[in-house]
Each structure stands twice: as structure tokens, then as C-alpha cells.
Amino acid sequence: MPDSSKTHEPNKKFDYLKAVGKKMNLARLDTGVTGTEIRLWITSMMTPNQVVSLKITDNAVSAKKFDYSVSEDGLVNFKSSKALTNKLK
């Protein structure tokens, strides 16, 4: 979670990533996942942008990659790869 206690301003980047994640049907990290999930948001001047999601639960570790782009009107277009899963013993 971003620390806005110093500036007393909302974190615009955090809100933006929450909105894009919602449009991509991703659970909110602060309230909606079981286990641990790490997301790497990769952006550059080239499109598409990417999100790599790593989920760790008691039973498995899985990874999934999303390619996405955001149009000027805010519409999120995305394609996800098949999740790679490794069961834990």
C-alpha cells in the first residue's frame, strides 16, 4: 500500500493500477487474494505493456503473464497466457 501520510494526497499510480487490474478481472491485492501474490507491472514506450503475476498458496506456485494496452478513452485491451502451475508437496 502506498504511504500517503506524508503528502496527504492519494497515490494516483496506485489508483490507476487498481483500475486497470479491475478491468483485467484481477483480484485486488490488498483485499482479494488468498496466499501471496506479487505483480510486476512492466511498461515501456513499446506496446503492449505487461503484467507478470506470481501466486503462492499452501498448495501451489503459479505464474501468469498478461499483455495489455490502454486506449485514450480508458478501455483496457488484454490477453493473458495460460498459467504455469507447480504443485507443492
Side-chain angles (χ1 to χ4, degrees):
M1 296 291 301
D3 180 10
S4 60
S5 63
K6 294 180 182 179
T7 62
H8 301 287
E9 294 180 14
N11 189 313
K12 292 178 185 175
K13 182 59 109 177
F14 181 72
D15 292 339
Y16 170 77
L17 293 177
K18 278 193 321 188
V20 172
K22 182 177 182 179
K23 291 179 182 178
M24 294 171 62
N25 301 317
L26 296 172
R28 285 188 48 179
L29 292 176
D30 57 340
T31 60
V33 296
T34 56
T36 301
E37 183 170 348
I38 299 169
R39 292 189 192 138
L40 301 174
W41 294 82
I42 304 164
T43 59
S44 69
M45 294 177 70
M46 299 175 59
T47 57
N49 298 313
Q50 295 180 334
V51 176
V52 177
S53 173
L54 177 65
K55 290 184 182 182
I56 305 166
T57 64
D58 291 339
N59 304 326
V61 175
S62 65
K64 194 170 190 177
K65 182 184 81 145
F66 297 84
D67 293 326
Y68 76 96
S69 60
V70 181
S71 63
E72 290 181 16
D73 62 357
L75 180 64
V76 176
N77 299 304
F78 70 94
K79 178 177 86 171
S80 63
S81 66
K82 184 177 178 183
L84 301 173
T85 302
N86 188 12
K87 302 284 182 186
L88 300 175
K89 296 180 182 182

